PDB file of all heavy atoms in Angstrom:
ATOM      1  N   SER A  30       0.944   7.468   0.861  1.00 39.00           N
ATOM      2  CA  SER A  30       0.295   8.734   0.544  1.00 39.00           C
ATOM      3  C   SER A  30      -1.115   8.752   1.167  1.00 39.00           C
ATOM      4  O   SER A  30      -1.817   7.788   1.264  1.00 39.00           O
ATOM      5  CB  SER A  30       0.271   9.018  -0.954  1.00 39.00           C
ATOM      6  OG  SER A  30      -0.597   8.050  -1.570  1.00 39.00           O
ATOM      7  N   LEU A  31      -1.493   9.906   1.537  1.00 37.00           N
ATOM      8  CA  LEU A  31      -2.829  10.175   2.144  1.00 37.00           C
ATOM      9  C   LEU A  31      -3.801  10.560   0.989  1.00 37.00           C
ATOM     10  O   LEU A  31      -3.439  11.219   0.037  1.00 37.00           O
ATOM     11  CB  LEU A  31      -2.823  11.281   3.165  1.00 37.00           C
ATOM     12  CG  LEU A  31      -2.012  11.006   4.456  1.00 37.00           C
ATOM     13  CD1 LEU A  31      -2.091  12.188   5.340  1.00 37.00           C
ATOM     14  CD2 LEU A  31      -2.612   9.751   5.172  1.00 37.00           C
ATOM     15  N   VAL A  32      -4.997  10.102   1.106  1.00 35.00           N
ATOM     16  CA  VAL A  32      -6.033  10.412   0.196  1.00 35.00           C
ATOM     17  C   VAL A  32      -6.943  11.412   0.910  1.00 35.00           C
ATOM     18  O   VAL A  32      -7.433  11.185   2.018  1.00 35.00           O
ATOM     19  CB  VAL A  32      -6.841   9.097  -0.268  1.00 35.00           C
ATOM     20  CG1 VAL A  32      -8.046   9.596  -1.084  1.00 35.00           C
ATOM     21  CG2 VAL A  32      -6.007   8.213  -0.922  1.00 35.00           C
ATOM     22  N   GLU A  33      -7.093  12.552   0.331  1.00 37.00           N
ATOM     23  CA  GLU A  33      -7.950  13.514   0.925  1.00 37.00           C
ATOM     24  C   GLU A  33      -9.423  13.219   0.722  1.00 37.00           C
ATOM     25  O   GLU A  33      -9.836  12.900  -0.411  1.00 37.00           O
ATOM     26  CB  GLU A  33      -7.701  14.966   0.326  1.00 37.00           C
ATOM     27  CG  GLU A  33      -8.441  16.027   1.083  1.00 37.00           C
ATOM     28  CD  GLU A  33      -8.080  17.390   0.559  1.00 37.00           C
ATOM     29  OE1 GLU A  33      -6.894  17.673   0.367  1.00 37.00           O
ATOM     30  OE2 GLU A  33      -8.985  18.212   0.291  1.00 37.00           O
ATOM     31  N   LEU A  34     -10.186  13.176   1.807  1.00 35.00           N
ATOM     32  CA  LEU A  34     -11.629  12.815   1.742  1.00 35.00           C
ATOM     33  C   LEU A  34     -12.464  14.072   1.690  1.00 35.00           C
ATOM     34  O   LEU A  34     -12.272  14.952   2.533  1.00 35.00           O
ATOM     35  CB  LEU A  34     -12.056  11.988   2.928  1.00 35.00           C
ATOM     36  CG  LEU A  34     -11.266  10.630   3.108  1.00 35.00           C
ATOM     37  CD1 LEU A  34     -11.634   9.956   4.361  1.00 35.00           C
ATOM     38  CD2 LEU A  34     -11.517   9.779   1.877  1.00 35.00           C
ATOM     39  N   ARG A 112     -10.788   0.531  -4.452  1.00 94.00           N
ATOM     40  CA  ARG A 112     -10.349   1.847  -4.559  1.00 94.00           C
ATOM     41  C   ARG A 112     -10.148   2.239  -6.060  1.00 94.00           C
ATOM     42  O   ARG A 112     -10.597   3.306  -6.448  1.00 94.00           O
ATOM     43  CB  ARG A 112      -9.048   2.046  -3.837  1.00 94.00           C
ATOM     44  CG  ARG A 112      -9.160   2.218  -2.348  1.00 94.00           C
ATOM     45  CD  ARG A 112      -7.909   2.714  -1.696  1.00 94.00           C
ATOM     46  NE  ARG A 112      -6.644   2.401  -2.327  1.00 94.00           N
ATOM     47  CZ  ARG A 112      -5.895   1.337  -2.044  1.00 94.00           C
ATOM     48  NH1 ARG A 112      -6.306   0.416  -1.143  1.00 94.00           N
ATOM     49  NH2 ARG A 112      -4.756   1.086  -2.671  1.00 94.00           N
ATOM     50  N   LEU A 117     -14.243   3.044  -3.044  1.00 95.00           N
ATOM     51  CA  LEU A 117     -13.714   3.358  -1.745  1.00 95.00           C
ATOM     52  C   LEU A 117     -12.649   4.424  -1.797  1.00 95.00           C
ATOM     53  O   LEU A 117     -11.928   4.599  -2.788  1.00 95.00           O
ATOM     54  CB  LEU A 117     -13.152   2.116  -1.003  1.00 95.00           C
ATOM     55  CG  LEU A 117     -14.018   1.021  -0.724  1.00 95.00           C
ATOM     56  CD1 LEU A 117     -13.237  -0.137  -0.066  1.00 95.00           C
ATOM     57  CD2 LEU A 117     -15.190   1.353   0.174  1.00 95.00           C
ATOM     58  N   ALA A 118     -12.559   5.259  -0.681  1.00 94.00           N
ATOM     59  CA  ALA A 118     -11.500   6.134  -0.501  1.00 94.00           C
ATOM     60  C   ALA A 118     -10.739   5.626   0.685  1.00 94.00           C
ATOM     61  O   ALA A 118     -11.275   4.913   1.585  1.00 94.00           O
ATOM     62  CB  ALA A 118     -11.994   7.523  -0.239  1.00 94.00           C
ATOM     63  N   SER A 119      -9.431   5.922   0.815  1.00 94.00           N
ATOM     64  CA  SER A 119      -8.634   5.446   1.969  1.00 94.00           C
ATOM     65  C   SER A 119      -7.807   6.549   2.563  1.00 94.00           C
ATOM     66  O   SER A 119      -7.461   7.507   1.817  1.00 94.00           O
ATOM     67  CB  SER A 119      -7.795   4.254   1.581  1.00 94.00           C
ATOM     68  OG  SER A 119      -6.847   4.594   0.642  1.00 94.00           O
ATOM     69  N   GLU A 120      -7.478   6.420   3.764  1.00 95.00           N
ATOM     70  CA  GLU A 120      -6.614   7.367   4.514  1.00 95.00           C
ATOM     71  C   GLU A 120      -5.756   6.604   5.457  1.00 95.00           C
ATOM     72  O   GLU A 120      -6.269   5.830   6.323  1.00 95.00           O
ATOM     73  CB  GLU A 120      -7.448   8.390   5.187  1.00 95.00           C
ATOM     74  CG  GLU A 120      -6.650   9.402   5.899  1.00 95.00           C
ATOM     75  CD  GLU A 120      -7.504  10.425   6.639  1.00 95.00           C
ATOM     76  OE1 GLU A 120      -8.714  10.307   6.732  1.00 95.00           O
ATOM     77  OE2 GLU A 120      -6.921  11.467   7.193  1.00 95.00           O
ATOM     78  N   ARG A 121      -4.434   6.802   5.391  1.00 95.00           N
ATOM     79  CA  ARG A 121      -3.545   6.202   6.374  1.00 95.00           C
ATOM     80  C   ARG A 121      -3.462   7.042   7.593  1.00 95.00           C
ATOM     81  O   ARG A 121      -3.276   8.228   7.517  1.00 95.00           O
ATOM     82  CB  ARG A 121      -2.146   6.030   5.748  1.00 95.00           C
ATOM     83  CG  ARG A 121      -1.198   5.342   6.741  1.00 95.00           C
ATOM     84  CD  ARG A 121       0.122   5.015   6.130  1.00 95.00           C
ATOM     85  NE  ARG A 121       0.049   4.020   5.104  1.00 95.00           N
ATOM     86  CZ  ARG A 121       0.002   2.600   5.434  1.00 95.00           C
ATOM     87  NH1 ARG A 121      -0.067   2.256   6.688  1.00 95.00           N
ATOM     88  NH2 ARG A 121      -0.127   1.799   4.499  1.00 95.00           N
ATOM     89  N   VAL A 126      -4.881   1.819   7.965  1.00 94.00           N
ATOM     90  CA  VAL A 126      -5.563   2.457   6.811  1.00 94.00           C
ATOM     91  C   VAL A 126      -7.094   2.411   7.074  1.00 94.00           C
ATOM     92  O   VAL A 126      -7.631   1.323   7.462  1.00 94.00           O
ATOM     93  CB  VAL A 126      -5.241   1.829   5.491  1.00 94.00           C
ATOM     94  CG1 VAL A 126      -6.042   2.506   4.290  1.00 94.00           C
ATOM     95  CG2 VAL A 126      -3.727   1.840   5.210  1.00 94.00           C
ATOM     96  N   TYR A 127      -7.743   3.479   6.973  1.00 96.00           N
ATOM     97  CA  TYR A 127      -9.216   3.609   7.129  1.00 96.00           C
ATOM     98  C   TYR A 127      -9.831   3.829   5.751  1.00 96.00           C
ATOM     99  O   TYR A 127      -9.361   4.535   4.887  1.00 96.00           O
ATOM    100  CB  TYR A 127      -9.555   4.853   8.018  1.00 96.00           C
ATOM    101  CG  TYR A 127      -9.202   4.504   9.461  1.00 96.00           C
ATOM    102  CD1 TYR A 127      -7.877   4.642   9.937  1.00 96.00           C
ATOM    103  CD2 TYR A 127     -10.146   4.148  10.357  1.00 96.00           C
ATOM    104  CE1 TYR A 127      -7.571   4.393  11.230  1.00 96.00           C
ATOM    105  CE2 TYR A 127      -9.839   3.982  11.688  1.00 96.00           C
ATOM    106  CZ  TYR A 127      -8.510   4.046  12.166  1.00 96.00           C
ATOM    107  OH  TYR A 127      -8.195   3.765  13.418  1.00 96.00           O
ATOM    108  N   TYR A 128     -10.997   3.134   5.555  1.00 96.00           N
ATOM    109  CA  TYR A 128     -11.720   3.144   4.347  1.00 96.00           C
ATOM    110  C   TYR A 128     -13.081   3.733   4.546  1.00 96.00           C
ATOM    111  O   TYR A 128     -13.720   3.519   5.568  1.00 96.00           O
ATOM    112  CB  TYR A 128     -11.819   1.705   3.792  1.00 96.00           C
ATOM    113  CG  TYR A 128     -10.523   1.178   3.343  1.00 96.00           C
ATOM    114  CD1 TYR A 128      -9.721   0.554   4.285  1.00 96.00           C
ATOM    115  CD2 TYR A 128     -10.036   1.350   2.029  1.00 96.00           C
ATOM    116  CE1 TYR A 128      -8.435  -0.003   3.863  1.00 96.00           C
ATOM    117  CE2 TYR A 128      -8.807   0.831   1.662  1.00 96.00           C
ATOM    118  CZ  TYR A 128      -8.042   0.216   2.564  1.00 96.00           C
ATOM    119  OH  TYR A 128      -6.781  -0.300   2.185  1.00 96.00           O
ATOM    120  N   ARG A 129     -13.557   4.430   3.500  1.00 95.00           N
ATOM    121  CA  ARG A 129     -14.978   4.867   3.509  1.00 95.00           C
ATOM    122  C   ARG A 129     -15.505   4.820   2.070  1.00 95.00           C
ATOM    123  O   ARG A 129     -14.714   4.924   1.121  1.00 95.00           O
ATOM    124  CB  ARG A 129     -15.099   6.323   4.044  1.00 95.00           C
ATOM    125  CG  ARG A 129     -14.622   7.408   3.180  1.00 95.00           C
ATOM    126  CD  ARG A 129     -14.932   8.745   3.745  1.00 95.00           C
ATOM    127  NE  ARG A 129     -14.314   8.931   5.012  1.00 95.00           N
ATOM    128  CZ  ARG A 129     -14.840   9.571   6.089  1.00 95.00           C
ATOM    129  NH1 ARG A 129     -15.999  10.164   5.887  1.00 95.00           N
ATOM    130  NH2 ARG A 129     -14.231   9.704   7.249  1.00 95.00           N
ATOM    131  N   GLU A 131     -17.000   6.071  -1.177  1.00 85.00           N
ATOM    132  CA  GLU A 131     -17.034   7.368  -1.867  1.00 85.00           C
ATOM    133  C   GLU A 131     -18.491   7.884  -1.813  1.00 85.00           C
ATOM    134  O   GLU A 131     -19.461   7.053  -2.078  1.00 85.00           O
ATOM    135  CB  GLU A 131     -16.573   7.294  -3.348  1.00 85.00           C
ATOM    136  CG  GLU A 131     -15.086   7.057  -3.485  1.00 85.00           C
ATOM    137  CD  GLU A 131     -14.328   8.394  -3.100  1.00 85.00           C
ATOM    138  OE1 GLU A 131     -14.929   9.443  -2.797  1.00 85.00           O
ATOM    139  OE2 GLU A 131     -13.165   8.383  -3.206  1.00 85.00           O
TER     140      GLU A 131
END
Side-chain angles (χ1 to χ4, degrees):
S30 64
L31 293 178
V32 174
E33 185 175 317
L34 301 175
R112 280 193 331 267
L117 296 179
S119 64
E120 179 182 8
R121 180 172 291 283
V126 178
Y127 287 78
Y128 293 88
R129 74 175 58 218
E131 284 289 358

